[in-house]
Amino acid sequence: MKKYKIILNPTSSRGKSVDHIPTIQAFMEANNLPYDLELTTAPNHATQIAKQAHAEGYTYIIAAGGDGTSNEVLNGIMQANKDSDHKAIFGLLPVGSGNDMAFGVGVRTGIDAALEVLRDQNTQVFDVGYVRGGDFPTGRYFGNGLGVGFDAIVGFEAAKLKFSGFIGYLISALKTIILVKPALLRLELDDQTIESRFLMISIMNGQRAGGGFLLTPDADTSDGEFSVCIANEMNRISQLTVLPKFIAGNHTTHPKVNLINAKKVTVTALDGTIPSHIDGETVCEAGQKLEIEILPQALHILQEPLA
């Protein structure tokens, strides 16, 4: 029997995620979908629950929360799948504040639509990113994207606010324009090397970050490559000018912005340090070197049928 493990983070969306529990329970029971729902109690608890669910033979392991919860569950599944013939399938109930990973795979925001994806059991292959360095010298998986520089600092600042979501990221972005000083970095993209002062490097599997910034609007989560958005150093006026373009996704023609596809990416600090995050979670606040690679079609994920 195909069974669901739903892992819900009660702190997602500033505690509002728990309001969806009755809806989740009613839907699963009305559709005769066997499930267990478990709440996380601490950071990284979702990873441990996911690994245990895999060991118990659950077919579908579902992250109910935001991008941080999704990242923890993804890591649990990937770690468990690697050493087992049983390959659990990943699912998302986007009840957090950003929900960028769900956006990238076409799981619509809104609990009713997301529950229908669980019921319909349509699966697609999904690329997974892997990074070594910073706080994770032995490596960590990610689903949506890794940010270096500006967007990482925006995430750090947004986490300090008493409210969340896109507005929080926008306010933090405006604050970061004042704070950020681009470091001199070496960026290696497959067989290409660039040394420069970069405002931002976003190594994306999905299309969106920060709940509404379309950094890589044409990214494909199953094509076996990252879409890398590179913003070179620019003055504060230029940053203010280009910021709305990132929201609309029409920054791709800006003279200071480049988009490059790559399977392997290495970022090395030549002076200064590397602030970085994955899926909204901190990789490092002051790292020296990150090695990133794509794992093509490494996972199956529940999502709406592709058009």
Side-chain angles (χ1 to χ4, degrees), residues 64-256:
D67 290 315
T69 308
S70 299
N71 181 270
E72 288 191 15
V73 173
L74 171 71
N75 272 270
I77 296 172
M78 288 295 295
Q79 291 169 28
N81 277 356
K82 183 176 63 174
D83 300 319
S84 173
D85 292 333
H86 167 51
K87 306 300 182 185
I89 296 168
F90 185 36
L92 297 167
L93 287 176
V95 295
S97 55
N99 304 316
D100 293 312
M101 193 184 303
F103 179 90
V105 296
V107 176
R108 290 172 290 166
T109 300
I111 189 66
D112 294 332
L115 284 166
E116 289 172 4
V117 173
L118 267 57
R119 178 198 62 201
D120 295 343
Q121 299 179 353
N122 180 72
T123 63
Q124 304 290 344
V125 291
F126 181 64
D127 298 337
V128 175
Y130 192 68
V131 57
R132 296 179 186 85
D135 297 344
F136 302 101
T138 60
R140 186 170 180 88
Y141 300 100
F142 62 95
N144 186 59
L146 179 149
V148 169
F150 186 90
D151 64 333
I153 297 171
V154 170
F156 300 157
E157 291 298 317
K160 300 174 185 177
L161 298 178
K162 294 182 179 180
F163 53 92
S164 58
F166 173 68
I167 297 301
Y169 272 88
L170 181 59
I171 292 169
S172 299
L174 294 171
K175 182 179 179 181
T176 302
I177 287 173
I178 300 171
L179 294 175
V180 71
K181 181 180 179 182
L184 179 62
L185 305 175
R186 178 186 296 120
L187 175 62
E188 299 169 67
L189 303 144
D190 293 339
D191 57 358
Q192 180 180 2
T193 300
I194 309 168
E195 292 185 3
S196 184
R197 292 194 179 275
F198 297 101
L199 178 68
M200 179 181 78
I201 302 168
S202 297
I203 302 160
M204 299 292 292
N205 188 33
Q207 301 97 38
R208 194 183 77 181
F213 294 87
L214 284 169
L215 302 180
T216 50
D218 297 324
D220 184 335
T221 58
S222 61
D223 65 354
E225 293 184 310
F226 292 118
S227 181
V228 184
C229 180
I230 304 165
N232 292 290
E233 184 177 25
M234 61 185 81
N235 62 39
R236 291 190 177 97
I237 298 299
S238 296
Q239 290 178 50
L240 286 168
T241 301
V242 78
L243 185 62
K245 295 180 181 293
F246 279 106
I247 297 170
N250 58 15
H251 56 285
T252 57
T253 58
H254 192 279
K256 291 285 188 176

Side-chain angles (χ1 to χ4, degrees), residues 5-12 15 17-22 24-25 35-50 62 64-65 69 72-73 95:
K5 183 70 170 188
I6 300 173
I7 303 168
L8 188 141
N9 180 357
T11 67
S12 289
S17 58
V18 294
D19 296 343
H20 297 288
I21 291 176
I24 294 169
Q25 293 172 326
Y35 78 100
D36 290 308
L37 188 151
E38 186 169 349
L39 273 59
T40 62
T41 59
N44 297 313
H45 189 204
T47 297
Q48 299 308 313
I49 298 173
I62 314 302
T69 308
E72 288 191 15
V73 173
V95 295

